[in-house]
Structures are given as structure tokens and as C-alpha cells.
Amino acid sequence: MVYRCINSFELPLVDDDGYSTEENSPVGCNTLWELEEESAYTLTGAEIRLISLDEAGFDWIEISKDRLKSNFEIVEE
């Protein structure tokens, strides 16, 4: 499933071990993201992992279902 960000927001950057780097980066409006459905595991403990389909500053993000509902729309099922 592919999602488009409809409300920009910021997320903390994390390293490869899931620890905060104390920096934030924006998730921009109109960026495209694909839901990673193969694995139930997330590095940060969040509910959902999205993989960037754009040069969005993040290769992937992990967010809650609530944040997905309020900041993204489905563009391809």
C-alpha cells in the first residue's frame, strides 16, 4: 500500500540501533511512502514502518496508527 503525506511533521532521527540522535527532521507534504507489511518488527517500537519512495530525508519512518490516519492518505492499494 502506498501513502502520500498530507500534513508535514517532524520526527526524531534515530541511529541504526534505534537510539535518538537528539536531532529532528521534517517529513514533507506530498512525499510518498510504502507500507512495509512483511515484518511486524519495528526498530523503535512504533506500530507501523513506512519506506520512503522519494528523497524525503528518511529512508524509512516508524509511526503510530493514529499518526498514519491524521497525516497520510492512501494513493495505491
Side-chain angles (χ1 to χ4, degrees), residues 25-43:
S25 186
V27 176
C29 228
N30 293 317
T31 54
L32 296 175
W33 302 85
E34 184 171 21
L35 178 65
E36 183 178 274
E37 298 182 64
E38 295 176 14
S39 173
Y41 171 79
T42 59
L43 186 64

Side-chain angles (χ1 to χ4, degrees), residues 10-68:
E10 287 192 352
L11 286 176
L13 294 172
V14 295
D15 64 19
D16 291 336
D17 295 318
Y19 294 104
S20 175
T21 64
E22 303 298 323
E23 297 178 35
N24 290 329
S25 186
V27 176
C29 228
N30 293 317
T31 54
L32 296 175
W33 302 85
E34 184 171 21
L35 178 65
E36 183 178 274
E37 298 182 64
E38 295 176 14
S39 173
Y41 171 79
T42 59
L43 186 64
T44 64
E47 298 171 296
I48 294 170
R49 177 181 276 210
L50 298 174
I51 307 299
S52 175
L53 298 177
D54 294 320
E55 295 293 321
F58 290 101
D59 292 331
W60 52 267
I61 58 174
E62 293 179 349
I63 58 174
S64 67
K65 290 178 183 177
D66 288 340
R67 181 162 270 180
L68 181 71

